[in-house]
């Protein structure tokens, strides 16, 4: 039985001040994870997504322009990426990503929209 929802992209977007921590993350081809608790610390240009199971998953960093829409009522973030693209995103390293703003700038340049 598939739990994939029909993509719902609200007309209203999201703002840098939105706290998306805990929201479900849906890729173009199904559920990809949840927004990690670290997202607010990384700034509005990035989203940290926990993929996989609670213990076996990993946190990856995605640029915020990968977000197609946010449904605040359902607490779902809809991405313009596939599950494979989400899983292959750079792994979030707290010391590197939170400690060095230059690294975040480089990450944004290297891993742009991917379109």
């Amino acid at each position: 039985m598939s739990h994939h929802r029909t993509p719902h992209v609200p007309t209203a977007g999201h703002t840098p001040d939105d706290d998306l921590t805990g929201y479900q993350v849906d890729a173009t081809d199904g559920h990809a994870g949840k927004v990690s608790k670290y997202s607010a610390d990384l700034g509005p240009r990035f989203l940290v997504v926990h993929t996989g199971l609670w213990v076996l998953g990993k946190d990856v960093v995605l640029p915020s322009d990968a977000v197609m829409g946010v449904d605040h009522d359902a607490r779902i973030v809809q991405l313009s990426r596939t599950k494979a693209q989400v899983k292959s995103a750079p792994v979030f390293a707290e010391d590197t990503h939170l400690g060095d703003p230059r690294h975040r700038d480089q990450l944004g340049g290297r891993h742009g929209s991917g379109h």
Side-chain angles (χ1 to χ4, degrees):
M1 172 154 89
S2 173
H3 293 288
H4 184 277
R5 295 183 176 138
T6 303
H8 169 72
V9 180
T11 56
H14 64 288
T15 68
D17 295 329
D18 288 342
D19 182 4
L20 304 177
T21 303
Y23 279 42
Q24 175 177 312
V25 176
D26 286 348
T28 58
D29 56 351
H31 178 71
K34 285 196 171 218
V35 177
S36 172
K37 63 183 177 180
Y38 301 108
S39 297
D41 298 331
L42 207 56
R45 290 182 21 198
F46 299 97
L47 191 66
V48 179
V49 175
H50 187 78
T51 65
L53 301 174
W54 178 69
V55 176
L56 301 175
K58 63 182 179 177
D59 285 335
V60 297
V61 181
L62 297 170
S64 60
D65 64 359
V67 176
M68 286 190 337
V70 177
D71 183 336
H72 290 288
D73 293 332
R75 296 180 50 87
I76 296 173
V77 174
Q78 181 69 45
L79 300 178
S80 62
R81 306 277 169 88
T82 65
K83 291 188 290 188
Q85 288 173 313
V86 172
K87 289 181 181 180
S88 68
V91 174
F92 174 75
E94 187 170 357
D95 291 343
T96 303
H97 291 104
L98 298 181
D100 186 357
R102 291 176 297 165
H103 180 76
R104 289 194 300 264
D105 292 341
Q106 291 172 350
L107 183 67
R110 282 198 324 253
H111 302 282
S113 66
H115 296 280

